[in-house]
Every structure is written in C-alpha cells, then in structure tokens.
Amino acid sequence: MKRALITGIGGQDGSYLAELLLEQGYEVHGTIRRSSLSNTGRIDHLISQDALMNRRLFLHHADMADSGSLDAAIKASSPDEIYNLAAMSQVRISYDVPASTADVTGVGFARLLEVARRHAPEAKIYQASSSEMFGKVLETPQTEKTPFYPRSPYGCAKAYAYYIGRSYREGFGMRVYNGILFNHESPRRGENFVSKKIVMAAARIKRGEQDKLWLGNLDAKRDFGYAKEYMEWVWRIMQSDTPDDFLIATGETHSIEEFVERAFARLGLNWRDHVSIDPSFMRPAEVDLLMGDASKSRRLLGFEPAVKFNQLVDLMVDAEMGVASCSSTKILAAS
C-alpha cells in the first residue's frame, strides 16, 4: 500500500486530493495546524468514514514554519509521495503579512525538502506552484517556459518555492514535481476568495439576507478550472516517471465581471443592481490577465479539462443554494 503525506490536507485542494488517494487505496497522512477553532471541516466526512473502515487516514499537527513538526510528520508517515499544498494562499492578504507569507509559502517548502532529503530521500514530492508567479505576464498564453514576473508577496513566495524545488531536483537528484495550476475553484473554496464571496453573496441576496456585494477590480481576467478535477491531474503528475514541471489550465480567460454576471444570472438576478466597487479591495499591483497553455500536460499526461467556466460557476451557485440551511461543517462535507 502506498503512503502519501499531504500538507494542508484541510484546505480545498487537500480535501479533494485526500478523497482521491483514499479511493486509489493509499494510506493517507495529512498535516493540520493547531488552532483554537476546528479546521477540519472539509475532511470531517473522511474522518467519520475512516473510523468505520480500516484506518487509512492519519492527521498530524505540523506547521510549515516549524521544521521539528515537519520532521515528526515525515518520520511518522514514511511517505512514498509528499504533496505540499500548505500555504498562506490569499493574494490580497499576502500584502498585509508579507514576511509570514514568505516564511510559510516559500521557506516552508525549503524546510519540507530538507526534512524529506534526510528521512524520505526516495519519496516523490509535489510542489503546488501557482499562475500568480507569472504576474505581469510577458506572453499570453503562459506555458512552462514563460518567465516569471510575480507582483505580490504570495507570487514571490511561490516563485521561491518553485526554484528551491528545482534546485533540490537538480542538486540532490530528488524527485520533485512542480504543478503550475491556474485558478481552480469549487464549493469548498475559502470564504475570503473572490469566487466564493461572489456565489455566497448571490445566494444571500436571492434569499433576501443581504442587498449589496462589495468587490475590487472587476476587469481582472483569470483562467478558471474545477479544483476537484485538477487534483486528479496533480495525482497523475506524480505518477509520471520523470520529475518535471507541468501547467494545468483550461486555456480560457474570463473576467471577474463575467463570473459575477454568470453567478447572479443563475439565480435570475441582475448583478448591476447589487454590486458596488470598494477601492480597499484593490491589490497594490494587479495581475491583469492569466491564461494557461496546457499543451505539454495534454501531450504527456492526457490532460483535458472537462469542467469549463459556465459549468463551474453554476456548480458553485447550485451548491451554495442547496446547502443554505446547513451549518458550515455540513456544507463542506456535503459539497
């Protein structure tokens, strides 16, 4: 039985990946941070299921800023595959906590690599890289060879993690894989991300619970995919024999305004009646357009996105309306 360690298992991506790996017959270990509030909502259904079956899901308290806890997690799990999904991942907030973002999202991966080099040198290691590394894009669409030009502390931290991973691959022969994923959303998206903010507000407005939605830059364009689907391709990246860098994207770009329009229209609402601009939500340096060319992943992995923009927005809105009366824990478990 293969063993996998997922850092950040409690996040959107970690929860979908954990489900997939358990379905594939893995023993799954995951790291969660100590918190005064429960942070396992997205995986509570897996924990409950695992208690009724053979124990194949194990959680470890660890922090990307603490080498000792990462050391303990790797020793306890003896992983064949390590998926680094942990990060301070909200771009706008990264401007408020730039040093913490660098420490967790960037240097944290260096800590993980060094612990793995000592205790699990043969393990395959996946680094969750980001389209935000392209930032002020130098070509469109972006490929694995497009130069990086990050424009946020988050993008800079992700670029560092990308390069330190490549250096360990080339310098120590470690099997480090980079997945450069473009925006990927789902009903499990965190509430401080714009996609979730939009669909939650649309649902509340439809139910008469609020009237206004305040947003920042509606002109920013992104390549939106479905997180659950992308995690299958992350797993497929790790099944490749040769460590490499792979870009995962739909090849389409849509503005935030288009996202708002589609979400509100799904509920029979005119978004212009409810949406206003708040300059405080603007980033100091905006990333205007991201659109990926996943030709390499198509050629080598067979990647083909099934869920495109309209279906993704509809899926998120429908989930929000379908669980309107449930607690947040039940929402995450049901979605």
Side-chain angles (χ1 to χ4, degrees):
M1 181 187 300
K2 282 187 178 181
R3 293 190 184 92
L5 174 66
I6 304 172
T7 67
I9 194 173
Q12 168 189 256
D13 292 358
S15 65
Y16 283 126
L17 181 61
E19 285 177 346
L20 174 64
L21 295 181
L22 288 170
E23 290 170 2
Q24 293 291 334
Y26 282 65
E27 179 179 296
V28 176
H29 296 254
T31 68
I32 57 173
R33 291 183 297 112
R34 290 194 180 276
S35 172
S36 58
L37 299 174
S38 174
N39 55 8
T40 61
R42 295 180 180 90
I43 57 171
D44 280 345
H45 63 298
L46 295 178
I47 296 170
S48 298
Q49 292 168 10
D50 194 55
L52 300 174
M53 302 166 62
N54 294 329
R55 285 276 292 164
R56 290 193 291 118
L57 176 62
F58 304 88
L59 300 181
H60 309 270
H61 284 104
D63 195 301
M64 297 302 289
D66 179 14
S67 294
S69 64
L70 296 175
D71 187 285
I74 286 183
K75 284 180 178 178
S77 58
S78 299
D80 302 295
E81 298 173 2
I82 300 170
Y83 296 83
N84 182 40
L85 307 183
M88 203 310 289
S89 57
Q90 218 288 337
V91 177
R92 176 59 190 87
I93 295 174
S94 76
Y95 285 99
D96 301 327
V97 287
S100 176
T101 300
D103 190 33
V104 171
T105 306
V107 180
F109 185 49
R111 295 187 183 99
L112 185 67
L113 284 169
E114 189 58 22
V115 171
R117 187 172 72 87
R118 294 197 304 268
H119 301 304
E122 299 303 317
K124 291 183 173 182
I125 303 173
Y126 173 82
Q127 166 57 16
S129 293
S130 168
S131 59
E132 287 289 333
M133 300 186 305
F134 296 120
K136 187 176 181 180
V137 298
L138 301 180
E139 64 180 8
T140 298
Q142 296 86 55
T143 73
E144 291 86 353
K145 295 183 178 180
T146 300
F148 299 148
Y149 194 144
R151 303 198 80 195
S152 67
Y154 171 76
C156 293
K158 281 292 189 181
Y160 171 82
Y162 169 89
Y163 283 121
I164 195 69
R166 196 169 71 175
S167 74
Y168 270 64
R169 179 180 12 178
E170 296 175 357
F172 296 115
M174 293 177 68
R175 296 191 288 176
V176 179
Y177 298 72
N178 274 298
I180 306 174
L181 271 57
F182 281 60
N183 285 65
H184 44 291
E185 318 296 329
S186 78
R188 298 183 188 179
R189 198 48 144 154
E191 294 182 9
N192 59 350
F193 288 85
V194 68
S195 59
K196 184 71 167 183
K197 183 177 179 181
I198 291 166
V199 298
M200 286 180 64
R204 288 171 178 167
I205 290 169
K206 181 67 175 179
R207 297 193 300 265
E209 297 171 0
Q210 72 181 68
D211 184 58
K212 277 287 186 184
L213 168 62
W214 295 88
L215 295 172
N217 181 13
L218 298 184
D219 296 325
K221 295 181 177 180
R222 296 290 184 268
D223 186 324
F224 292 100
Y226 182 31
K228 182 177 182 179
E229 181 180 31
Y230 279 23
M231 288 307 103
E232 178 181 344
W233 290 101
V234 165
W235 175 72
R236 289 177 184 253
I237 286 171
M238 288 280 272
Q239 306 320 301
S240 174
D241 291 333
T242 304
D244 203 350
D245 306 328
F246 295 93
L247 185 151
I248 299 295
T250 68
E252 298 180 359
T253 186
H254 296 273
S255 68
I256 301 302
E257 181 176 314
E258 289 178 81
F259 198 109
V260 173
E261 182 178 15
R262 181 73 186 188
F264 276 69
R266 181 70 171 174
L267 299 176
L269 300 170
N270 183 347
W271 70 273
R272 296 183 186 277
D273 295 335
H274 302 282
V275 176
S276 297
I277 302 302
D278 184 343
S280 69
F281 292 145
M282 301 286 189
R283 299 181 186 180
E286 184 57 79
V287 173
D288 297 314
L289 186 154
L290 293 173
M291 183 172 69
D293 177 355
S295 297
K296 177 179 176 180
S297 293
R298 284 189 175 90
R299 184 176 71 255
L300 298 180
L301 303 175
F303 168 74
E304 191 61 48
V307 178
K308 297 296 183 71
F309 178 75
N310 287 345
Q311 185 181 354
L312 173 64
V313 179
D314 292 351
L315 183 155
M316 293 181 68
V317 172
D318 292 350
E320 202 64 39
M321 292 298 292
V323 295
S325 63
C326 298
S327 69
S328 59
T329 298
K330 291 179 181 176
I331 286 172
L332 295 167
S335 59

